[in-house]
Amino acid sequence: MSANLNAPISSPRSLTGEGWAAIAGAVGSALLLAKKLLGPKPAKPELMSRADFYAEMLEVRDRIQSNHLALIEKLDANHRELLAALERQAVRINAVEAGLARVDERTRK
């Protein structure tokens, strides 16, 4: 600090043209950035229409149902085949049991 109280007070600096241009550029950039960030977002185009989506969904459902029916038919065929095999085995087991019963009768005498 100066000890001289009567010293002239220095005048504030005035801005030059370059200073004003820098301020205007910064303010303009800030406004453009705010407009970009806060502005309305453009609507995204639909990838497919609702009608196409529902048509595709129905097609997939029909495909799944037809696959499901084919699987059920295969399971039924396998089930019938297994029942027939079990029936054949039961006949064979009954024949073996009858044979063992006869052998048992012969050995008891």
Side-chain angles (χ1 to χ4, degrees):
M1 278 202 11
S2 172
N4 188 359
L5 294 176
N6 293 329
I9 299 174
S10 62
S11 63
R13 293 184 182 172
S14 62
L15 291 175
T16 62
E18 292 176 353
W20 283 110
I23 291 173
V27 170
S29 297
L31 288 175
L32 288 175
L33 182 64
K35 180 180 176 183
K36 181 178 181 181
L37 294 177
L38 300 176
K41 305 279 188 232
K44 292 182 180 178
E46 290 187 17
L47 297 178
M48 66 183 339
S49 67
R50 285 183 183 261
D52 291 341
F53 173 75
Y54 287 122
E56 185 75 23
M57 187 175 65
L58 290 174
E59 182 182 322
V60 168
R61 186 184 71 185
D62 291 342
R63 238 183 297 140
I64 289 172
Q65 285 177 346
S66 66
N67 288 343
H68 184 257
L69 291 175
L71 285 173
I72 288 175
E73 289 173 3
K74 285 182 180 181
L75 285 172
D76 284 343
N78 287 343
H79 186 249
R80 285 189 298 272
E81 185 180 322
L82 284 173
L83 287 177
L86 283 173
E87 185 64 31
R88 288 190 303 272
Q89 292 298 324
V91 169
R92 290 179 69 191
I93 289 172
N94 288 337
V96 168
E97 283 180 349
L100 283 175
R102 277 187 259 132
V103 169
D104 190 37
E105 284 179 16
R106 289 181 193 163
T107 56
R108 283 188 189 174
K109 290 183 182 180

